[in-house]
């Protein structure tokens, strides 16, 4: 008797969701396999998604080694072996994705997914992030590919070149649009382009809200969004109108969420009538108050050094000295002069030292003599304004509580970026040499996030529909497990091959009550991978 074991773990779930969404059909219809290639592009893409969601820290260039321990034929089809999943096969698929158009292919997959599932698209959240890259590149050739270059790094890696990824998700965090951009792309341009592209490319509900952070809020963008698309965004505090409103005395009302208070007004910034709501977050105010006290100590030392420098300056007349004192006070609004006076000094016009001669013409110069103190009234006023921010929308009828709730959903797209940058998702560390392949790989990364998000959405939906639960990390029942927790629960699930008298027998080992429940909730596509066909 001979035996052989292969780690299946949670990858059967990933493969099942890939099948359930019909992704292979979209890929093979757009990028048919060439005669001289053994595997369809859909098989390679599926293998890359399995690699990306394996949570084992394997990098892309270790791709074949990743599959040596797995039941490859079970996951990818009869006749597929780990040796088939080599650099050449991956490179050909990435090139094919680029030639077809990575963004177009993802949009077509998104349309297919929306047709397969009843996804909510009432709210669309957009954001961008940067991915730092290592190694050398062939360089930008002036074509249509992205440029790997230096730019504003959101990871604070200014020493590395990067590319930028824009992402749009629905309210459940499921990606519906993705596009890679050059490393120096601007958020204010990429986000608005994403909104316009997804509006034209996907069949969305007219009542959908397009939601983004303050980077999108510029006069040209507001005019471009106009009145037809419903949008929600945060107003940058750098806008003068916003700055004045945040510092104004307004009577704020309690929100349904007791942690917030709000005040509503209107604006026509960018020529579009819109609703502005000032919110004040109590937790944010408390946090900023602590930081404010620490900064106040440092600011006091800076203010005193600045005053000492001012007191050493010479002025030609009293008016100039007083004007400069006013400017200093404007630059240090939390301080006031506890004492200020001017000192007149006569000095020789030729700037020579020593006692002036009899009758020598002297010039008069003035010095500021002043002391400062904290303006406690302004300090308390500033502290009372901490934790304020403004959210704007062109939906004049939405209530402040709903508006805040919708905007806070922006964390879904931010959660997606955290997932893509998670060190357990090592395919996000890019080690390719061609910009075209990096652009294609970015699409694979977001496709992996889509599979992850859909799998999580499906299991939560079916647990709630069937009124069932599974134990969480604290062994308490939950209907909202993460896929990473489910992956942990499936650790050790193994395909066992046994040869008896030359005949091969297969079984799946180490399934338990909870893993069996999860498999059945995912349905027939998942049961197939775990040997539970009905």
């Amino acid at each position: 008797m001979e035996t052989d074991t292969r780690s299946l773990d949670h990858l059967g779930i990933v493969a099942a969701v890939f099948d359930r969404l019909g992704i292979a059909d979209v890929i093979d219809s757009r990028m048919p396999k060439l005669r001289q290639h053994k595997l369809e592009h859909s098989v390679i893409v599926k293998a890359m998604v399995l690699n990306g969601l394996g949570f084992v820290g394997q990098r892309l260039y270790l791709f074949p080694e990743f599959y040596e321990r797995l039941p490859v034929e079970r996951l990818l089809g009869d006749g597929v072996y780990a040796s088939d999943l080599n650099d050449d096969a991956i490179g050909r698929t990435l090139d094919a994705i680029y030639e077809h158009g990575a963004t177009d292919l993802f949009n077509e997959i998104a349309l297919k997914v929306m047709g397969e599932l009843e996804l909510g698209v009432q709210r669309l959240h957009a954001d961008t992030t940067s991915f730092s890259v290592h190694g050398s590149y062939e360089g930008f050739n002036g074509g249509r590919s992205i440029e790997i270059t230096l730019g504003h790094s959101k990871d604070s890696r200014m020493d590395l070149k990067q590319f930028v990824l824009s992402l749009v998700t629905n309210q459940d965090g499921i990606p519906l649009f993705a596009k890679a951009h050059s490393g120096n792309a601007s958020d204010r341009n990429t986000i608005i382009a994403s909104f316009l592209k997804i509006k034209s490319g996907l069949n969305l509900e007219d009542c959908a809200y397009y939601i983004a952070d303050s980077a999108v809020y510029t006069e040209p963008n507001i005019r471009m969004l106009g009145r037809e698309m419903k949008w929600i965004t945060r107003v940058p505090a750098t806008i003068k109108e916003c700055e004045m409103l945040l510092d104004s005395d307004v009577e704020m009302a309690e929100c349904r969420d007791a942690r917030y208070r709000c005040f509503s007004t209107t604006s026509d910034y960018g020529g579009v009538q819109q609703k502005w709501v000032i919110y004040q977050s109590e937790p944010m105010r408390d946090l900023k108050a602590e930081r404010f006290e620490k900064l106040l100590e440092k600011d006091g030392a800076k203010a005193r050094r600045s005053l000492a420098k001012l007191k050493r300056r010479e002025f030609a007349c009293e008016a100039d000295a007083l004007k400069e004192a006013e400017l200093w006070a404007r630059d240090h609004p939390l301080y006031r002069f506890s004492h200020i006076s001017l000192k007149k000094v006569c000095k020789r016009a030729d700037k020579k030292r020593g006692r002036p001669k009899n009758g020598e013409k002297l010039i008069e110069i003035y010095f500021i003599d002043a002391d400062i103190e904290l303006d406690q009234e302004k300090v308390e006023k500033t502290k009372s304004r901490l934790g304020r921010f403004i959210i704007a929308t062109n939906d004049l009828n939405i209530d402040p509580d709903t508006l805040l709730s919708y905007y806070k959903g922006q964390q879904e797209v931010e959660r997606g970026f955290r997932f893509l940058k998670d060190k357990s998702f090592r395919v996000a560390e890019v080690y390719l040499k061609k910009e075209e392949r990096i652009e294609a790989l970015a699409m694979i990364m977001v496709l992996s996030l889509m599979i992850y998000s859909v799998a999580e959405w499906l299991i939560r939906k079916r647990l709630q529909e069937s009124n069932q639960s599974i134990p969480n990390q604290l062994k308490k029942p939950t209907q909202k497990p993460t896929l990473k927790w489910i992956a942990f629960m499936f650790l050790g699930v193994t395909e066992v091959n046994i040869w008896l008298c030359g005949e091969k027998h297969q079984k799946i080992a180490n399934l338990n009550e909870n893993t069996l429940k999860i498999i059945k909730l995912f349905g027939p596509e998942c049961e197939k991978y775990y040997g539970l066909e009905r």
Side-chain angles (χ1 to χ4, degrees):
M1 182 180 73
E2 295 182 11
T3 61
D4 175 62
T5 60
R6 301 277 170 170
S7 299
L8 179 57
D9 300 330
H10 66 289
L11 293 179
I13 296 173
V14 176
V17 174
F18 188 96
D19 297 345
R20 168 73 176 80
L21 299 179
I23 294 171
D25 294 338
V26 176
I27 294 172
D28 290 337
S29 66
R30 305 304 190 271
M31 304 184 308
K33 177 177 78 74
L34 299 178
R35 186 174 300 175
Q36 67 269 30
H37 299 156
K38 178 180 178 180
L39 301 181
E40 291 86 356
H41 290 303
S42 62
V43 174
I44 299 296
V45 170
K46 184 178 182 180
M48 294 176 76
V49 170
L50 288 167
N51 183 197
L53 296 178
F55 306 129
V56 293
Q58 293 281 13
R59 291 179 180 148
L60 187 62
Y61 61 67
L62 294 178
F63 194 80
E65 288 86 341
F66 171 75
Y67 272 95
E68 286 178 356
R69 65 179 188 86
L70 302 181
V72 179
E73 289 188 277
R74 178 179 291 273
L75 291 169
L76 299 176
D78 294 339
V80 182
Y81 305 102
S83 58
D84 297 324
L85 306 170
N86 52 50
D87 293 343
D88 290 338
I90 299 167
R92 283 194 298 269
T93 295
L94 292 175
D95 290 341
I97 291 172
Y98 174 78
E99 288 302 321
H100 177 79
T103 300
D104 292 339
L105 181 61
F106 188 84
N107 286 349
E108 290 158 2
I109 291 172
L111 277 170
K112 178 70 173 177
V113 171
M114 290 173 65
E116 294 292 328
L117 303 174
E118 295 179 2
L119 294 179
V121 286
Q122 293 80 27
R123 300 190 298 280
L124 298 166
H125 297 273
D127 204 352
T128 68
T129 194
S130 58
F131 286 86
S132 301
V133 295
H134 300 262
S136 44
Y137 296 86
E138 294 180 354
F140 185 57
N141 57 17
R144 61 185 177 90
S145 68
I146 62 173
E147 182 181 4
I148 306 301
T149 185
L150 295 174
H152 174 67
S153 173
K154 297 188 178 183
D155 299 323
S156 300
R157 289 301 306 265
M158 307 306 293
D159 57 317
L160 295 177
K161 292 184 178 181
Q162 64 180 25
F163 67 92
V164 171
L165 181 67
S166 60
L167 185 67
V168 180
T169 73
N170 74 343
Q171 62 264 31
D172 297 307
I174 298 173
L176 299 179
F177 176 86
K179 183 175 176 60
H181 304 272
S182 297
N184 55 3
S186 166
D187 282 5
R188 67 182 61 181
N189 298 325
T190 54
I191 293 176
I192 194 71
S194 298
F195 279 156
L196 297 176
K197 183 72 174 178
I198 197 171
K199 185 177 187 296
S200 63
L202 300 179
N203 184 23
L204 299 177
E205 299 176 19
D206 292 337
C207 62
Y209 286 90
Y210 295 79
I211 305 170
D213 62 18
S214 60
V216 78
Y217 197 89
T218 65
E219 286 195 58
N221 284 351
I222 294 302
R223 285 194 293 269
M224 197 176 301
L225 289 170
R227 297 176 176 84
E228 293 183 7
M229 295 172 62
K230 290 183 180 178
W231 50 263
I232 295 171
T233 181
R234 188 164 170 170
V235 182
T238 52
I239 293 176
K240 191 65 178 177
E241 183 182 349
C242 175
E243 183 182 356
M244 293 174 62
L245 192 55
L246 289 174
D247 195 44
S248 62
D249 290 316
V250 293
E251 189 172 344
M252 305 186 80
E254 295 288 339
C255 294
R256 280 200 299 263
D257 186 336
R259 297 173 299 173
Y260 293 88
R261 295 184 299 143
C262 65
F263 173 82
S264 299
T265 185
T266 58
S267 172
D268 59 355
Y269 186 83
V272 176
Q273 189 70 17
Q274 54 199 273
K275 185 173 195 172
W276 280 20
V277 181
I278 309 175
Y279 295 95
Q280 185 162 37
S281 164
E282 295 299 326
M284 189 188 301
R285 185 176 70 174
D286 293 343
L287 180 62
K288 288 191 172 185
E290 292 180 18
R291 296 175 182 172
F292 179 77
E293 293 293 344
K294 293 177 182 178
L295 289 173
L296 204 56
E297 294 180 17
K298 295 181 180 179
D299 189 56
K302 287 174 63 177
R304 284 186 286 274
R305 287 196 298 269
S306 176
L307 179 64
K309 188 175 179 180
L310 178 67
K311 290 166 69 173
R312 291 194 296 269
R313 289 183 57 183
E314 299 178 358
F315 298 95
C317 64
E318 291 184 359
D320 287 348
L322 291 173
K323 183 178 180 181
E324 201 62 31
E326 289 178 10
L327 291 174
W328 187 95
R330 192 182 308 164
D331 291 337
H332 301 80
L334 298 181
Y335 294 86
R336 64 185 177 190
F337 291 112
S338 57
H339 156 75
I340 183 168
S341 62
L342 299 180
K343 294 191 300 183
K344 183 173 72 172
V345 176
C346 296
K347 60 185 296 187
R348 302 173 71 177
D350 57 10
K351 299 184 179 180
K352 289 183 179 180
R353 295 183 179 182
R355 188 172 182 176
K357 298 176 182 178
N358 289 335
E360 181 179 351
K361 187 177 181 180
L362 302 178
I363 60 172
E364 295 179 346
I365 60 172
Y366 293 86
F367 290 92
I368 295 173
D369 182 29
D371 295 313
I372 57 170
E373 63 184 7
L374 269 177
D375 189 330
Q376 291 297 338
E377 185 178 341
K378 288 185 178 179
V379 168
E380 292 305 316
K381 181 180 177 181
T382 301
K383 288 172 69 174
S384 71
R385 304 287 196 268
L386 295 174
R388 286 188 176 187
F389 57 94
I390 297 177
I391 299 176
T393 178
N394 61 343
D395 182 358
L396 303 179
N397 297 317
I398 192 170
D399 65 86
D401 291 297
T402 303
L403 179 63
L404 178 62
S405 171
Y406 284 3
Y407 181 78
K408 288 173 71 175
Q410 189 69 4
Q411 63 187 350
E412 293 298 335
V413 68
E414 294 166 359
R415 187 178 294 119
F417 285 140
R418 286 196 297 273
F419 169 82
L420 291 174
K421 293 187 174 187
D422 192 306
K423 289 302 180 182
S424 65
F425 186 66
R426 294 296 286 273
V427 76
E429 292 190 7
V430 182
Y431 293 85
L432 302 179
K433 294 184 179 180
K434 293 176 64 177
E435 285 83 351
E436 295 86 351
R437 290 185 176 180
I438 289 179
E439 190 170 339
L441 179 63
M443 191 280 285
I444 300 293
M445 292 161 57
V446 181
L447 181 60
S448 300
L449 173 61
M450 173 185 274
I451 301 295
Y452 181 97
S453 303
V454 168
E456 209 167 73
W457 177 79
L458 277 172
I459 190 63
R460 292 176 177 184
K461 182 172 182 284
R462 289 174 179 172
L463 281 168
Q464 290 172 358
E465 289 173 346
S466 61
N467 197 28
Q468 298 185 71
S469 63
I470 60 174
N472 64 11
Q473 293 91 325
L474 301 176
K475 303 196 181 302
K476 294 182 178 180
T478 181
Q479 292 184 326
K480 293 185 176 181
T482 65
L483 188 60
K484 277 194 174 182
W485 172 241
I486 289 175
F488 180 81
M489 295 176 71
F490 273 75
L491 277 175
V493 175
T494 307
E495 178 192 84
V496 180
N497 298 298
I498 304 172
W499 285 267
L500 289 172
C501 302
E503 185 176 348
K504 181 179 178 180
H505 302 270
Q506 267 189 358
K507 68 170 292 186
I508 303 298
N510 302 324
L511 293 173
N512 57 38
E513 179 184 352
N514 287 313
T515 53
L516 285 169
K517 179 191 294 185
I518 292 168
I519 292 167
K520 290 177 180 177
L521 286 169
F522 272 112
E525 296 90 354
C526 192
E527 292 174 353
K528 175 186 72 173
Y529 286 100
Y530 291 95
L532 302 176
E533 295 94 339
R534 296 171 184 174

